Amino acid sequence: MTRGLMIRQMNVTRGKTPIVHDVTLHLQPGLLVSCIGPNGAGKSTLLGALAGSFAATGKITWNGTALTPSMIGHMPQQCRVDADLTALQVLLLGQHETLGLRIKNSQMDAAGEMLQSLDIMALANRPMTSLSGGQQQLVLLGQRLIRKPKLLLLDEATSALDMAHQMRVMQLIRDYVQKNDALAIMAIHDLNLAARYSDEIVLMHAGRLEAKGPFADAMTEERLERVYGMRAILLPDIAGAPVIVPLHPLASPTSSIAA
Ligand SMILES: Nc1ncnc2c1ncn2[C@@H]1O[C@H](COP(=O)(O)OP(=O)(O)OP(=O)(O)O)[C@@H](O)[C@H]1O
């Protein structure tokens, strides 16, 4: 049995356009994996296809068997709530499969712990519609986590967060996957955040898998130039982790947004 997520020869078409081409990928449980790549590279399409939102060909398994919706926590890009619910109610709804007419103490406790770990306890009784973009993002992330999915698919889930909350969330997700033998795949544009917190990266380019592995092995200055269309240098930070220092975009873009 292959442990974790196995994707074999996945192809995804949206409308009539082939977007993701022939992706074969094996990711172990217990890892935080950043899915990176320039605008239009196919990150959201890959995550959406894994979540079952887009039809895909190929074979996808978790620990050797087919993925089921209850195993997946998918947070699409720019996810928002316009319903008249409080942050606490949204977190409780994350447990809807087990929520009866009476909310159990254990369910309230789980919601309270999640609010605490996301540093949003003060927002518990605030209506979602009154929250800022970043505050909503934290609540919606908590709603996914509280269901304890095996496969977390997070599409730019830290894009509206300040730096301290970004670090808190990345650490929380790392702890979550390790504790629950789960896998998180996060589409993310902040390469330095990805470098610091990811166990591995998946680099997409024009709908294809360009590279996979630990950031320090998979990311090179040549790839930053060819895939992202920018000149940059890679330096070690004080702990030895790679940091990207962007210098300038190339005169003629090579990234997939220009395709
Ligand atoms: N419904 C659609 N029909 C045809 N093409 C689409 C459709 N939706 C998205 N695309 C195209 O698919 C490609 C991949 O889009 P996708 O959103 O997966 O990229 P991404 O890597 O997540 O980009 P970004 O970083 O900008 O969010 C893009 O070229 C986009 O224009």
Side-chain angles (χ1 to χ4, degrees), residues 7-258:
I7 305 171
R8 284 193 181 87
Q9 294 179 318
M10 180 199 250
N11 285 277
V12 190
T13 299
R14 292 177 73 174
K16 288 190 173 151
T17 316
I19 306 290
V20 168
H21 311 278
D22 205 24
V23 168
T24 293
L25 186 60
H26 177 214
L27 298 167
Q28 292 281 355
L31 302 184
L32 190 172
V33 175
S34 289
C35 181
I36 61 174
N39 292 127
K43 304 177 297 295
S44 298
T45 305
L46 178 70
L47 265 55
L50 288 172
S53 306
F54 309 125
T57 60
K59 195 167 178 201
I60 306 165
T61 55
W62 176 265
N63 289 348
T65 58
L67 271 172
T68 57
S70 66
M71 293 159 74
I72 299 170
H74 181 212
M75 183 162 158
Q77 208 172 337
Q78 288 162 355
C79 185
R80 280 192 71 85
V81 172
D82 294 320
D84 200 11
L85 295 169
T86 66
L88 177 62
Q89 287 167 333
V90 167
L91 282 185
L92 288 170
L93 277 176
Q95 308 172 82
H96 66 88
E97 284 101 340
T98 53
L99 211 59
L101 288 176
R102 271 195 174 176
I103 299 169
K104 295 189 197 117
N105 285 343
S106 59
Q107 290 168 324
M108 282 301 280
D109 291 348
E113 280 166 27
M114 189 56 70
L115 288 165
Q116 194 83 52
S117 55
L118 288 164
D119 190 30
I120 50 171
M121 191 54 108
L123 307 180
N125 296 315
R126 291 263 306 272
M128 286 296 281
T129 46
S130 77
L131 301 185
S132 73
Q135 290 169 335
Q136 280 221 10
Q137 210 167 39
L138 289 166
V139 177
L140 291 170
L141 175 65
Q143 193 192 48
R144 270 65 183 181
L145 284 170
I146 210 164
R147 297 180 58 226
K148 295 222 167 14
K150 280 294 175 195
L151 180 60
L152 255 180
L153 302 167
L154 305 175
D155 201 343
E156 296 186 30
T158 57
S159 60
L161 304 182
D162 63 67
M163 285 176 92
H165 277 101
Q166 285 182 352
M167 291 191 287
R168 180 186 277 267
V169 162
M170 296 302 277
Q171 192 57 54
L172 183 72
I173 293 168
R174 267 194 95 151
D175 294 346
Y176 173 84
V177 292
Q178 285 170 10
K179 199 168 149 201
N180 295 283
D181 212 25
L183 170 70
I185 310 180
M186 301 183 69
I188 188 165
H189 278 300
D190 186 330
L191 298 182
N192 286 327
L193 201 62
R196 182 159 169 188
Y197 287 97
S198 318
D199 299 296
E200 292 192 13
I201 59 164
V202 162
L203 173 61
M204 296 294 293
H205 182 210
R208 294 184 189 278
L209 177 64
E210 164 77 25
K212 178 232 176 215
F215 191 97
D217 301 339
M219 187 51 84
T220 60
E221 290 172 5
E222 184 276 327
R223 282 207 164 109
L224 288 167
E225 198 159 306
R226 183 166 47 79
V227 173
Y228 279 89
M230 68 171 178
R231 183 117 338 128
I233 47 176
L234 275 160
L235 296 174
D237 72 5
I238 46 168
V243 174
I244 293 173
V245 182
L247 299 178
H248 58 80
L250 295 180
S252 44
T254 56
S255 68
S256 48
I257 202 169

